[in-house]
Amino acid sequence: MGVIVQRRKLADALTAALVTTAGGLTACSGSGGDADAQKITYWASNQGTSIQNDKDVLTPELKKFTEKTGIEVDLQVIGWNDLLNRIMSATTSGDSPDVVNIGNTWSASLQATGAFVPFDGETMKSVGGKDKFLATSMSSTGVPGETPTSVPLYGLSYGVFYNKKHFTDAGLTTPPTTWDQLVTDAKKLTKPGGKQYGLTLAGASYTENSHFAFMFGKQQGGEYFDDKGDPTFVTDQNVKGIQQYVDLLGKHKVATPSSAEHTTTTDAIADFTSGKASMLMGQNNTAAGIEAGGMKADEFGVAPIPIVSPLPPGGEKINSHVAGINIAAFSGKNEEGALKFVDFMTSKDTQVSLNKSFGALPVTQEASQHPDFQTPENKVFVDVLAKTAAPMPMIANESQFETTVGNGMKDLIARAATGKSVTDADVRKTLENAQEKMKSGGS
């Protein structure tokens, strides 16, 4: 999750730069005729435990690509601290790779630069066609209705992890399936004296807060932007969505007070692995952190994050945003070789191999059905990604939504942790402030 947080912070810089230079960016237009048809340069994002780990994982796969096509791949793994700056420079200087990984929430911003190959009808066919990919993952490839300039590569989704022994001790035989059940179970799991709580949250993480504002707002029938991309933060539905989350700490008092101090999911994992909390909402790569924290795989289970039931008018069965990494090809480079590489990286065997190694989820229909991703635990996340996830707003300044709303929620959660009430009026005021900042370009 630390990587994701870093990426979000850098996304702010990307959006600010792209917005302020809107219209000034031009696609790199190097001569395709000068490109070496038998060689491509690939900027990969850091998905593994280290840059070297990424190289160790990717190199055998790239050799298979070379054996298949005769095209050599110059691999450069770039850390998240540098990747955005490198991409931004490449879009204006022309000193770009042939293929690059991008965070999927950057899709709309980078699409606006015109630097990447559009995946129109024929181009999309060359990498297997639109239907090759999960529809939800494809929804995070750019502005709706416009030709995408990237396709999905790695997927992530949210679930709720639960301590099996705590559930058994409390007489709970199954994980909760509705939001009311989650609250009821969390109350049963919360013990007097602060020895054990039903949940732990990453309440000081503006990124996670914004994710939950988005998905619980969807459950309540809310939208944060209209069709023109203008903010519509201050609605009854969005207020209820945030209240749904903050009430875990304030009204219901079933979340650890330290939740207000956790800046990442990694911080919250310590509450879970120490037995201080019985449930934790996190993305699929959270499992590795839980096991690294000392819990064995058979000591915890995972289930979809419960959804409000019955849904209110306009409410949607959404319990995750579509998280992940996309892959794009720069225009004017070795486009033919680059598209062959994109097709290879999104082929079934490569998807299975790489996503297993990186603890991510396949983003293609075929690979997501592989037995390795149909274990009970993995299937939960695969199904959520495919069926009940929605893309974060595909607008150029999406990261500003995350900072304004997410940081506002952080203050509400801190207030709830001290025992002070958080009313609907407080949430509405927070959303009003966030919307004003969004309109003025602040964060």
Side-chain angles (χ1 to χ4, degrees), residues 103-283:
N104 67 358
T105 58
W106 309 344
S107 298
S109 300
L110 292 173
Q111 184 182 37
T113 70
F116 297 117
V117 173
F119 283 88
D120 54 18
E122 289 302 314
T123 304
M124 185 62 83
K125 268 185 192 176
S126 72
V127 299
K130 184 179 178 181
D131 291 343
K132 167 182 176 178
F133 301 93
L134 299 178
T136 48
S137 294
M138 273 304 299
S139 67
S140 283
T141 56
V143 176
E146 296 186 12
T147 302
T149 53
S150 62
V151 294
L153 180 61
Y154 306 125
L156 295 165
S157 66
Y158 272 98
V160 58
F161 297 87
Y162 62 94
N163 184 313
K164 291 182 178 178
K165 184 176 187 305
H166 284 193
F167 268 57
T168 299
D169 291 347
L172 301 172
T173 56
T174 59
T177 57
T178 70
W179 191 258
D180 284 345
Q181 286 177 4
L182 178 136
V183 173
T184 300
D185 290 354
K187 288 179 178 177
K188 290 181 180 177
L189 292 160
T190 299
K191 295 182 178 180
K195 294 180 180 178
Q196 179 180 304
Y197 288 85
L199 291 125
T200 182
L201 316 173
S205 165
Y206 77 85
T207 54
E208 290 222 3
N209 288 341
S210 65
H211 297 165
F212 290 122
F214 170 75
M215 69 177 76
F216 295 139
K218 284 279 191 183
Q219 290 184 18
Q220 296 289 349
E223 293 287 352
Y224 276 89
F225 296 90
D226 62 20
D227 292 341
K228 297 178 181 177
D230 294 326
T232 57
F233 294 0
V234 192
T235 66
D236 291 344
Q237 294 86 350
N238 290 339
V239 169
K240 288 179 181 177
I242 290 177
Q243 194 81 60
Q244 180 178 333
Y245 186 61
V246 176
D247 276 355
L248 293 172
L249 192 59
K251 179 181 178 182
H252 304 305
K253 302 187 187 308
V254 295
T256 60
S258 58
S259 295
E261 302 170 2
H262 296 330
T263 57
T264 67
T265 305
T266 302
D267 296 337
I269 286 174
D271 281 350
F272 186 74
T273 57
S274 68
K276 191 173 182 180
S278 303
M279 292 185 280
L280 163 67
M281 292 185 282
Q283 296 179 358

Side-chain angles (χ1 to χ4, degrees), residues 7-88:
R7 199 171 72 230
R8 294 293 184 195
K9 290 178 178 177
L10 286 165
D12 292 342
L14 169 69
T15 297
L18 291 176
V19 168
T20 54
T21 59
L25 295 177
T26 57
C28 57
S29 55
S31 169
D34 295 336
D36 183 346
Q38 293 306 108
K39 184 175 181 179
I40 60 170
T41 299
Y42 173 41
W43 287 0
S45 51
N46 178 199
Q47 301 302 132
T49 56
S50 66
I51 297 292
Q52 187 57 50
N53 174 247
D54 278 86
K55 291 179 179 176
D56 292 343
V57 170
L58 287 168
T59 296
E61 297 300 323
L62 303 190
K63 285 182 178 177
K64 294 177 187 175
F65 173 71
T66 301
E67 291 171 359
K68 181 178 179 181
T69 64
I71 300 173
E72 295 182 1
V73 182
D74 177 13
L75 170 66
Q76 299 180 35
V77 181
I78 302 174
W80 288 106
N81 282 335
D82 300 318
L83 183 58
L84 274 169
N85 287 335
R86 294 281 296 274
I87 294 173
M88 290 162 65

